Amino acid sequence: MQRILILLLTILSIGCTTETPKEYSLVAYVPQNAAAIVQIQNFESFRSELKNNKLLKSFRKPSFKKDFNDFLNYLQYLKPNSKSILSINELEKGNFEYLFVTKFHPDLIALDSLAKATTEKITYEGNSITKTTLGDRVNYTFITDSIFVNSSSEVLIENCIRSYEKAAISETFKKVYTTIDETKSATLLANPKYVAPLLKKLFPNAATDIVSNFGEQAALDISILPDELSFTGIVTANDSLSHTLSSLNNTMPREYKMAKVIPPFFEHFTSITFDAYEKFHPETKNSLLDALEEVTSFKFNGGTFTGLRFISPSNESVTQLTANTEYSTVRNTKVYKNEDASLFKDHFSPFIKDFSNEFYVVLDEYIVFTDGDNLRNLAMLIGMYKDEQTLFYQKNYQEAIKNLSDESSLLTFVNLENFKKTFAESAKKSYQKEISSINISEYPFAALQFINEKGSNYAHVHGILKRNTTKPSKNTVSQALNVVLDNPVATDPQFVKNHITKRKEIVVQDDQNVLYLISTAGKILWKKQLDGPILGKVSQIDLYKNGRLQLAVTTPQTFYVLDRNGKDVKPYPTKATSTYTQPVAIFDYDKSKNYRFVFTEGNKVAMRDKKGKTVSGFKFSGAENDFINPPQHFRVRSKDYITFQESNGKLHILSRTGKPRITPKKNIQFSNNTIYIHNNLFTTSDRNGNLIQVDGKGQIQQTKLPVEESHDVVMTSKTLVSFFENKLRIKDKTVELDFGSYSKPNIFIIRNKIYVTITDKDAQKVYLFDSNAKPIAGFPAFGSSAIDLGNFDKDNKLELVTKGENNTVLVYKLN
C-alpha cells in the first residue's frame, strides 16, 4: 500500500501550477495548516492546459470530476489577471473547504446571465463579506487592500480576517517557496502531515501513514501538456521529527538497475539506492550488505518480491547465500530455501516493511526473495531474465526513463494498466467503477523519483505520467497532437516558425475571433482577441531585421503585427479607411526586409512601408471595379511584377512603381483562381475551364482543361494541379475521389519532393499524394479542413496540421 500513497502524491500534485515570487503577500491570507496550496501563475493558461491534456480529456463525465467542479463552481466566473492561490483546508475531521486569493481588478468577476446568483452583505468585525448563492452552493468573499479572498466556508473567511495582518510564515515554507519556477503555470505547496487527511478522504481504503510522516514541506512545479502530466520540485525533511525522507540524508543516489529482473507485466515497484548501506541504515550492522547499492520491492501476478542489487556478483552475501539448501532448479539456475527467518528483516525500513524471504534466487549481482506461494512466478521471472525479456528491455520502459534522472535515491514506478484495479479499490466506493473504466492504454507508466542532496535535509522530486511515444511502424500516419480550443475552429490551422527554437508552431483562429499560438507540445502559448475574422493566411515578417519574427494578420477592419508573445508591435495595429476586402499583401522585393504592405479596400489600393507611411513612389491607387484576389508580387528574369485581378476581367501587370509593365490584349473571364507563374508565363484559368496564359507582350494563350465552370487550379513553375467535381488531376494523371465538398487543392514542395493535398470536408478525410498522383501511405486521414505540411518538431519526419471535429486542431506525423 505504500506504493499507492506515493502514487497518490504524484496524482494530487499533477493538478497545479507555478510561479516564483519574492514576497508572500497572497500566502498570508491562506491557513498555514492547509492540506494543499496551489499557487497559479496564469489562471487562463492553467485552465487551457487542463482542458487540452489528452488523459484528462478522456474522462467523460465521471462523478469525481463533477464533484470537483461543483466544489469549485464559483471559480469558473473569475478572470484573474495576476497570480492566484487556491488552498484546500480541513475544518473538522473529513470536512474540506477551499479558499481562493488573488489581486482584485474591476473585471475579475464575470457572472453571466445563466449563473442565477444571489448576493447579500454580512458584517464581521467591521469588515464587509459578500455571501453569494449559486444553485445549492454558497460562497463568501472578502476584499481588502486590493486583495480578493473567496471561500466555500464563512469560517475560513472569518479566520482570514482575524489573521492575515499578523500571519507568521515558517522558515521551512519560505525556503521551499523560493524554489518555485515562474515559467510553470502553477505550483503545489503541501505539508505531508496535512495532505494525509485529504488523501484519506479521497482514498479511504489506502494507508496514509507513509504520507503523513514522509517529509516536512514540499513545493512541486506542475507541467500539464497534451501528452504529459509532470512535476518537479523539492521536499524537505526534519531529522528531529524522524521523517521518512530523513533516512536518505547521508546517502548519495545511484543508478537504478532492478528493471533487469522485473517482468514487464509488473504492477509497481519501489527502488531505494545508496552509496553505502551503513549510511542508509546506520543502526543496523550487517556485513552481508556492505556491497549493496539497490533494494527494490515489486509486485507482479499478485505476488510480492524483494530484490537486492550488489556492486558485482562477487560479494559476501552471494557467497554465503549460495551455500544454503537448494530447493529446485529452473533453467539451470538454483532456487534456494532460506533457513534464517530473520534474514534482512527490518533492514530496509521505513520504505520496505513487508519482506518475505522464504525463497530466493541469485541472478548475477541480483538476489530476489519471495514466499512459498510465488515459486511459480519466481520461475517465470528466472526465464524472462535469462531470455532478456524483462522490463529493462521493453521499448516503452526505455522511452519512459528518458524523462527521469539516471540516478535516484527513491524511485516508484507504476504500470498503470495493471495497477488500475488496486488504485480503484483504494478510492471511495462511488468512484471505483469509474476509475476502473478509464482508458489508459496509451499511458503505460507513472513514475515518482526522489534525488537526495547528500548532507542536506531535502530531496529533489520529479514525477511524470506521459503518453507512450515509442516509434510506430514505418509508412504509417500517427496522431501527434489533439488540441481543444475554447470555441469552434474558424480558420485553416497553419504552421509558423518559432525564431528561438527554429521549430514550427501553430496559429489558428476560433469563431469568436480569438487567435491562438500553439507550441510543438500542444500547449496554448497565448490567445489574442481580434476584432474580426482573419482574411486569408497569417504571414511572418522580420520588421526589425534582427531575426525575430512577427505575425502579420488582417481582419476586415484592422491590420495587426504581433510579436512572439502576442503583443502589438508599434505602430500597429492600423485601421482600414472603410473595410479591407483582401488580406494585406506583403512584398519584400529584394529579400532585404524593406517590406511593402499593400492594402485593398474594394477597388482602392494603398501601399505603405513597414513604418506605416504611404509609399509615395507607388502610383497605382485602384481601378474601376473591385479586386477579386489579393495583389501578388513575382520576380521573373530579374524583373518585378505586381498583379491585380479586377472583377470585370481586367488583369493589371505593374512595375514596382505601379505603372503598367505588361498590358494583356483582352480581358479574362476570371474563375476564382489566382495568378501563378507557370512555364515563365502569367497563368490562371477562366470560368469556362480554360487555362489562360499571358506572355511578356500581353498575348494570351488559351488551353482547354479537363474541367468545367466550378473548378480549382493550383500550380508551381512546372507542375499543374486541377480539381473538378471528384477528379483530381496531377500533371497528366487523374485520381477519382468520392463526391463531396472539397477544399482547394494545394501543392507543397519539401526537400525537393512534391506533395499534393486536398480535403473532403463533408467526409472529413485528408488526402495526400505525390507528384505521380500516388497516395502517401496512411492516407486518407481524419481531418475537416485544408492542411499545412512541414517539419513541425525536432525530428526529420513531416507533420501536417488540420482541423478535427468542431473545436479541435490535429497534428499528424508521417512515419
Side-chain angles (χ1 to χ4, degrees):
M1 296 300 282
Q2 293 176 5
R3 270 77 62 187
I4 296 175
L5 270 303
I6 291 175
L7 178 63
L8 297 184
L9 270 178
T10 305
I11 293 172
L12 180 68
S13 309
I14 280 166
C16 324
T17 338
T18 290
E19 166 176 330
T20 310
K22 304 302 179 187
E23 41 79 27
Y24 315 99
S25 59
L26 298 184
V27 177
Y29 293 83
V30 176
Q32 298 302 295
N33 62 347
I37 297 173
V38 181
Q39 180 165 288
I40 304 170
Q41 183 76 8
N42 185 311
F43 200 78
E44 189 64 29
S45 175
F46 183 51
R47 280 202 285 218
S48 292
E49 289 175 10
L50 290 170
K51 181 185 293 186
N52 284 294
N53 178 265
K54 287 181 179 172
L55 182 60
L56 298 180
K57 249 187 333 190
S58 69
F59 299 171
R60 296 302 179 189
K61 291 185 179 179
S63 58
F64 58 80
K65 186 175 181 180
K66 181 179 182 302
D67 289 348
F68 182 77
N69 289 339
D70 288 348
F71 179 55
L72 300 175
N73 183 35
Y74 186 74
L75 300 189
Q76 70 176 301
Y77 302 106
L78 300 182
K79 297 186 178 298
N81 60 9
S82 61
K83 181 170 56 188
S84 308
I85 287 182
L86 172 66
S87 70
I88 307 298
N89 315 274
E90 186 178 29
L91 292 188
E92 53 190 40
K93 189 174 178 60
N95 177 31
F96 291 88
E97 305 287 350
Y98 80 81
L99 186 109
F100 182 82
V101 186
T102 192
K103 289 186 178 180
F104 181 77
H105 65 88
D107 299 321
L108 175 62
I109 306 170
L111 286 168
D112 58 36
S113 58
L114 299 177
K116 296 181 180 178
T118 60
T119 61
E120 61 178 288
K121 296 294 183 180
I122 302 171
T123 301
Y124 179 76
E125 294 189 355
N127 296 277
S128 177
I129 300 173
T130 301
K131 178 182 178 182
T132 304
T133 303
L134 277 165
D136 59 353
R137 294 278 179 172
V138 179
N139 64 83
Y140 304 85
T141 301
F142 163 62
I143 302 174
T144 182
D145 298 329
S146 297
I147 300 297
F148 173 90
V149 185
N150 175 265
S151 178
S152 56
S153 166
E154 186 176 2
V155 172
L156 284 177
I157 291 290
E158 292 173 353
N159 290 346
C160 176
I161 291 172
R162 291 197 306 271
S163 64
Y164 76 90
E165 291 183 322
K166 52 187 177 183
I169 300 171
S170 71
E171 291 304 314
T172 302
F173 186 93
K174 289 179 180 179
K175 179 179 179 180
V176 301
Y177 199 66
T178 60
T179 68
I180 292 173
D181 182 356
E182 292 179 337
T183 65
K184 298 296 191 294
S185 52
T187 297
L188 174 70
L189 297 146
N191 182 323
K193 175 182 177 182
Y194 301 126
V195 168
L198 177 59
L199 293 176
K200 193 68 176 178
K201 172 81 171 180
L202 298 173
F203 303 95
N205 303 318
T208 59
D209 56 322
I210 191 171
V211 174
S212 61
N213 195 46
F214 190 79
E216 185 174 16
Q217 185 70 49
L220 305 174
D221 301 318
I222 310 305
S223 178
I224 304 176
L225 301 174
D227 285 337
E228 177 182 317
L229 297 167
S230 64
F231 61 83
T232 57
I234 68 168
V235 58
T236 64
N238 190 324
D239 290 345
S240 64
L241 299 177
S242 300
H243 285 130
T244 299
L245 198 61
S246 299
S247 61
L248 300 173
N249 279 2
N250 296 313
T251 67
M252 288 282 287
R254 286 291 183 262
E255 188 176 356
Y256 45 92
K257 299 180 179 180
M258 199 63 72
K260 284 194 174 180
V261 299
I262 299 174
F265 41 86
F266 75 107
E267 185 177 299
H268 51 74
F269 71 79
T270 295
S271 179
I272 305 104
T273 64
F274 34 73
D275 51 333
Y277 174 77
E278 62 181 11
K279 297 176 183 178
F280 167 68
H281 237 261
E283 68 276 18
T284 302
K285 307 297 181 183
N286 193 327
S287 62
L288 293 180
L289 301 178
D290 285 348
L292 183 67
E293 274 199 336
E294 181 177 8
V295 57
T296 302
S297 176
F298 59 95
K299 187 172 182 177
F300 79 95
N301 279 0
T304 300
F305 300 77
T306 302
L308 309 182
R309 180 180 62 81
F310 295 84
I311 294 173
S312 74
S314 302
N315 61 81
E316 184 181 347
S317 188
V318 169
T319 300
Q320 182 168 320
L321 292 179
T322 52
N324 282 347
T325 305
E326 177 186 334
Y327 180 79
S328 63
T329 301
V330 177
R331 298 278 297 269
N332 295 319
T333 300
K334 296 177 181 179
V335 176
Y336 298 92
K337 182 173 176 58
N338 178 35
E339 298 170 349
D340 179 5
S342 64
L343 180 68
F344 302 146
K345 285 286 188 181
D346 302 320
H347 279 37
F348 311 112
S349 61
F351 299 105
I352 298 175
K353 295 180 180 179
D354 300 324
F355 181 24
S356 299
N357 62 4
E358 188 177 355
F359 294 90
Y360 61 90
V361 62
V362 178
L363 301 167
D364 300 315
E365 66 267 37
Y366 304 92
I367 304 177
V368 181
F369 295 86
T370 191
D371 59 29
D373 294 334
N374 282 296
L375 286 173
R376 188 182 297 272
N377 288 330
L378 186 61
M380 187 184 303
L381 181 153
I382 294 168
M384 299 192 80
Y385 178 81
K386 292 283 188 179
D387 295 335
E388 295 188 348
Q389 295 295 315
T390 52
L391 178 64
F392 177 83
Y393 300 99
Q394 307 306 308
K395 285 186 178 180
N396 55 5
Y397 174 76
Q398 292 294 334
E399 184 72 18
I401 62 175
K402 288 179 182 178
N403 301 287
L404 301 173
S405 174
D406 292 339
E407 296 181 339
S408 66
S409 302
L410 172 65
L411 173 67
T412 288
F413 219 81
V414 177
N415 183 327
L416 289 179
E417 191 60 45
N418 292 341
F419 185 73
K420 188 166 63 174
K421 182 174 181 292
T422 303
F423 182 56
E425 290 172 350
S426 71
K428 291 171 61 175
K429 190 170 184 180
S430 59
Y431 297 162
Q432 290 181 3
K433 185 176 180 181
E434 292 165 345
I435 293 174
S436 297
S437 66
I438 295 172
N439 181 7
I440 53 174
S441 58
E442 292 186 323
Y443 296 81
F445 306 121
L448 178 62
Q449 184 179 49
F450 296 84
I451 305 168
N452 181 60
E453 284 284 343
K454 187 173 182 179
S456 71
N457 63 347
Y458 69 92
H460 298 283
V461 187
H462 181 44
I464 189 162
L465 174 60
K466 188 174 183 179
R467 187 165 169 257
N468 186 4
T469 57
T470 51
K471 295 181 180 179
S473 303
K474 289 185 178 181
N475 299 320
T476 61
V477 176
S478 57
Q479 191 178 116
L481 290 179
N482 184 326
V483 182
V484 178
L485 307 188
D486 295 335
N487 302 290
V489 177
T491 63
D492 296 339
Q494 67 177 93
F495 291 138
V496 292
K497 184 178 180 180
N498 180 325
H499 60 258
I500 299 173
T501 65
K502 310 304 180 186
R503 301 177 192 172
K504 298 292 181 65
E505 292 171 339
I506 301 165
V507 64
V508 67
Q509 188 183 36
D510 69 20
D511 69 356
Q512 298 301 305
N513 301 324
V514 175
L515 187 70
Y516 298 73
L517 185 68
I518 302 168
S519 75
T520 53
K523 182 177 181 179
I524 294 175
L525 300 174
W526 51 257
K527 295 185 286 187
K528 173 87 171 177
Q529 181 69 58
L530 304 184
D531 63 2
I534 292 174
L535 301 178
K537 286 186 171 292
V538 175
S539 300
Q540 282 191 283
I541 57 177
D542 182 359
L543 209 59
Y544 300 111
K545 301 184 180 183
N546 59 3
R548 298 180 180 179
L549 300 178
Q550 299 86 36
L551 301 179
V553 183
T554 313
T555 70
Q557 300 302 322
T558 308
F559 176 59
Y560 297 87
V561 178
L562 307 176
D563 69 10
R564 169 89 201 121
N565 299 310
K567 305 297 184 183
D568 293 322
V569 175
K570 299 301 181 183
Y572 303 97
T574 56
K575 293 290 184 180
T577 304
S578 56
T579 301
Y580 294 132
T581 53
Q582 300 293 339
V584 173
I586 303 174
F587 300 160
D588 183 8
Y589 294 126
D590 303 309
K591 307 299 181 185
S592 60
K593 301 178 182 177
N594 292 317
Y595 299 105
R596 295 294 184 259
F597 300 130
V598 186
F599 298 85
T600 307
E601 299 187 37
N603 64 341
K604 304 296 182 184
V605 174
M607 180 182 283
R608 300 190 179 98
D609 64 19
K610 63 183 183 180
K611 295 181 179 179
K613 296 180 180 179
T614 299
V615 177
S616 58
F618 185 73
K619 304 303 182 182
F620 184 73
S621 60
E624 294 181 0
N625 302 279
D626 289 350
F627 299 107
I628 62 171
N629 280 311
Q632 292 178 274
H633 167 253
F634 300 101
R635 173 68 64 90
V636 182
R637 296 194 179 111
S638 75
K639 289 185 178 181
D640 292 297
Y641 300 87
I642 300 172
T643 62
F644 291 85
Q645 294 171 269
E646 274 192 69
S647 60
N648 71 338
K650 186 173 183 179
L651 174 62
H652 299 268
I653 305 177
L654 313 176
S655 68
R656 281 193 193 188
T657 62
K659 294 180 180 180
R661 173 154 269 174
I662 298 174
T663 302
K665 299 302 182 183
K666 63 179 181 179
N667 285 358
I668 302 164
Q669 291 183 308
F670 291 120
S671 63
N672 290 324
N673 296 295
T674 188
I675 304 295
Y676 299 90
I677 298 296
H678 183 66
N679 293 329
N680 290 321
L681 300 174
F682 295 90
T683 308
T684 186
S685 68
D686 68 17
R687 66 188 60 166
N688 296 318
N690 296 305
L691 186 72
I692 304 297
Q693 296 186 288
V694 181
D695 65 18
K697 296 181 179 180
Q699 299 292 337
I700 294 178
Q701 303 174 22
Q702 180 173 304
T703 306
K704 186 70 178 84
L705 293 168
V707 299
E708 299 300 332
E709 272 196 39
S710 297
H711 68 274
D712 293 306
V713 292
V714 292
M715 59 196 85
T716 66
S717 61
K718 298 297 181 183
T719 300
L720 189 147
V721 174
S722 66
F723 182 72
F724 171 67
E725 291 184 339
N726 68 326
K727 296 179 178 64
L728 179 68
R729 186 174 178 85
I730 302 173
K731 293 193 282 194
D732 60 347
K733 296 181 173 62
T734 300
V735 178
E736 290 198 17
L737 305 174
D738 295 334
F739 284 96
S741 174
Y742 285 86
S743 67
K744 188 180 182 73
N746 204 353
I747 300 173
F748 295 93
I749 304 176
I750 302 175
R751 301 172 193 147
N752 296 317
K753 183 175 180 178
I754 289 177
Y755 297 88
V756 178
T757 176
I758 192 169
T759 300
D760 184 341
K761 293 183 285 187
D762 286 344
Q764 298 182 316
K765 291 180 179 180
V766 173
Y767 293 88
L768 191 63
F769 300 92
D770 65 16
S771 59
N772 294 313
K774 292 182 179 179
I776 302 297
F779 287 89
F782 175 75
S784 58
S785 75
I787 73 161
D788 198 0
L789 181 68
N791 190 0
F792 180 54
D793 52 22
K794 61 183 179 181
D795 63 23
N796 61 0
K797 296 177 181 177
L798 296 182
E799 286 83 17
L800 67 85
V801 61
T802 183
K803 173 186 172 183
E805 290 181 323
N806 197 28
N807 62 337
T808 62
V809 174
L810 303 178
V811 175
Y812 288 100
K813 183 181 289 291
L814 279 64
N815 300 302

